[in-house]
Amino acid sequence: MKFNITCIPGDGIGPEIVSQAKLVLDKVASKFGHEFIYKDILMGGASIDVHGIPLTDEAISDAKSADAVLMGSIGGNTDTSPWYKLEPSKRPEAGLLKIRKELKLFANLRPALLYKELSDACVLKKDTSDRGFDLIIVRELTGGLYFGKRETVTENGIRIATDTLTYNENEIKRVAIKAFEAASKRRKKVTSVDKANVLDSSRLWRAVVNEVAKDYPDIELEHMLVDNCAMQLVKDPAQFDIILTENMFGDILSDEASMITGSIGMLPSASLNETKFGLYEPSHGSAPDIAGMDIANPIATILSAAMMLRFSFDLNDEADAIERSVVKTLAEGYRTSDIYTDGCRKLKCSEMGQKIVENI
Ligand code: NAD
């Protein structure tokens, strides 16, 4: 089969890790008889440097015309990069918010899986890490605080900043359906996370999730307050299958979930719309501190490519082949420096990509 993939190498380590993911996809294409056609577009700082804005209309239309988008990461050092002297709407992250909105990517799926081979890297107590965990955070991506009305005014010499958190029931319903659908293919449990003891938006969230749950009688649903969820993630992450939550809570909890696995460099993500289309990217940022050194871990991006094959192209055997290759490579003792432990063999970013290609 033939698929068009728009690639966003982005900034920092982005170009290094995306090129490794493309090599892995090329190996899958030759082994399974497919053709992947790539078109690179600029976004974030790379686009600001060329076009003065973080995302052009042409880049958006290239992304829309593809079968899926594979991204590295965007952004620079927020203290020192000149990109962060621009007004907020022209900074790198504005490109990411815009593409999510333009592509109508309302559901973000972030798996957090503790690999047996990496359990030593897990920051949790040994009895907790020994139990392992395998959860997915389903985060609403185009509503809530990050997209609400905001303003900063000065009244009587006092600066006042306001952000607003709004959800309508349709926005909650469609992401809840994605979460229940994902749970139905896994361990059949959804934990919906909110702050319903304080926020009106959370009370609506809870009511709509309860309504959606009626269509999924075989899925267990529980509600949890976000502060409790933050604690439970470090105390007993094995209790979770699917965590469903709104935009900002999901932003924070998914970073927490990545950290407890031991390496943010291992975790992929998928952002989906109503159709099969999705944008796939690692959960980490552009790591400007190690950019250009060929030491980044490319596995999160390679696993994002596997998610793309599974969710957008329905190529499950091919996705399995990539995921098996990653596990095999880890089991053989190969590590990038972020996940290195004594006795393992340290590889550069490009060497890790090559090993995973060989093991497919
Ligand atoms: P970061 O994830 O880039 O880096 C945090 C730490 O993890 C750094 O020490 C980095 O070296 C390390 N790290 C991250 N990915 C790694 C990998 N693949 N291999 C090895 N080590 C890795 O987070 P940050 O430093 O807070 O942000 C840097 C920039 O990335 C900022 O501009 C931020 O806005 C941007 N960012 C972009 C996205 C995105 O594009 N979706 C997401 C998060 C952050």
Side-chain angles (χ1 to χ4, degrees):
M1 292 171 80
K2 189 167 160 180
F3 297 96
N4 291 303
I5 302 169
T6 291
C7 293
I8 307 177
D11 306 315
I13 60 170
E16 299 163 54
I17 53 182
V18 168
S19 57
Q20 296 311 312
K22 282 181 183 169
L23 292 173
V24 170
L25 285 169
D26 288 343
K27 175 69 183 278
V28 167
S30 71
K31 193 172 159 118
F32 290 84
H34 302 301
E35 190 181 354
F36 299 130
I37 300 161
Y38 310 108
K39 175 156 192 194
D40 284 2
I41 60 170
L42 296 176
M43 194 171 97
S47 175
I48 295 171
D49 288 346
V50 175
H51 302 293
I53 51 172
L55 185 67
T56 62
D57 289 344
E58 194 190 347
I60 293 171
S61 97
D62 280 340
K64 281 183 178 167
S65 64
D67 296 308
V69 178
L70 179 66
M71 181 174 138
S73 189
I74 54 105
N77 183 315
T78 48
D79 295 324
T80 58
S81 165
W83 299 329
Y84 294 93
K85 301 214 161 42
L86 300 168
E87 62 171 90
S89 67
K90 297 218 168 98
R91 290 180 194 171
E93 286 69 19
L96 188 56
L97 295 181
K98 186 165 182 189
I99 203 163
R100 285 176 181 162
K101 197 86 182 166
E102 287 283 340
L103 300 177
K104 301 187 170 61
L105 303 171
F106 63 82
N108 179 236
L109 275 59
R110 274 176 65 166
L113 167 65
L114 182 63
Y115 289 85
K116 186 165 54 70
E117 291 76 11
L118 299 182
S119 63
D120 283 351
C122 177
V123 293
L124 303 178
K125 280 187 178 160
K126 189 162 173 357
D127 63 324
T128 311
S129 63
D130 282 350
R131 281 203 301 280
F133 55 88
D134 174 8
L135 61 92
I136 295 183
I137 298 195
V138 178
R139 165 188 170 195
E140 201 292 324
L141 207 55
T142 54
L145 263 185
Y146 297 173
F147 290 92
K149 278 197 204 120
R150 71 196 68 214
E151 64 171 8
T152 304
V153 296
T154 303
E155 280 176 17
N156 302 324
I158 306 284
R159 287 169 296 165
I160 305 168
T162 307
D163 298 285
T164 49
L165 200 177
T166 305
Y167 272 109
N168 72 47
E169 59 183 308
N170 296 330
E171 291 170 317
I172 301 168
K173 186 174 174 187
R174 64 185 184 176
V175 72
I177 289 171
K178 291 274 183 201
F180 281 93
E181 292 291 332
S184 65
K185 296 188 188 107
R186 292 172 45 99
R187 299 195 308 279
K188 299 192 166 26
K189 181 176 174 190
V190 170
T191 305
S192 177
V193 173
D194 60 38
K195 189 72 182 167
N197 53 342
V198 179
L199 301 174
D200 260 24
S201 55
S202 282
R203 285 189 275 272
L204 179 64
W205 183 277
R206 202 174 270 217
V208 174
V209 172
N210 280 333
E211 286 157 24
V212 172
K214 288 186 186 139
D215 293 333
Y216 298 88
D218 60 331
I219 308 267
E220 181 193 347
L221 169 66
E222 68 174 355
H223 298 282
M224 193 176 278
L225 296 176
V226 61
D227 37 356
N228 186 23
C229 184
M231 290 192 287
Q232 294 299 328
L233 266 174
V234 288
K235 194 172 158 221
D236 180 20
Q239 70 183 285
F240 296 113
D241 179 14
I242 299 285
I243 294 176
L244 163 67
T245 192
E246 63 91 51
N247 202 344
M248 185 178 69
F249 297 159
D251 189 8
I252 297 166
L253 293 176
S254 54
D255 268 14
E256 184 186 358
S258 347
M259 266 317 294
I260 58 173
T261 63
S263 173
I264 199 162
M266 296 291 301
L267 301 170
S269 82
S271 301
L272 307 174
N273 67 16
E274 305 267 10
T275 70
K276 289 248 164 232
F277 185 89
L279 181 149
Y280 300 84
E281 58 174 321
S283 295
H284 57 74
S286 60
D289 52 334
I290 57 167
M293 296 164 73
D294 195 22
I295 59 168
N297 186 345
I299 294 178
T301 315
I302 289 168
L303 291 173
S304 301
M307 286 185 91
M308 175 178 75
L309 300 184
R310 195 183 302 286
F311 286 96
S312 284
F313 303 165
D314 281 329
L315 300 178
N316 290 319
D317 291 345
E318 291 81 343
D320 287 346
I322 295 178
E323 288 163 2
R324 270 201 312 271
S325 171
V326 167
V327 171
K328 182 164 191 271
T329 305
L330 294 174
E332 288 170 351
Y334 295 109
R335 304 282 189 274
T336 42
S337 44
D338 57 315
I339 51 173
Y340 178 79
T341 45
D342 285 347
C344 293
R345 168 98 192 276
K346 199 182 280 185
L347 298 184
K348 289 186 169 295
C349 175
S350 50
E351 293 170 330
M352 179 57 91
Q354 185 54 38
K355 274 282 164 226
I356 293 169
V357 167
E358 283 166 19
N359 277 334
I360 289 177

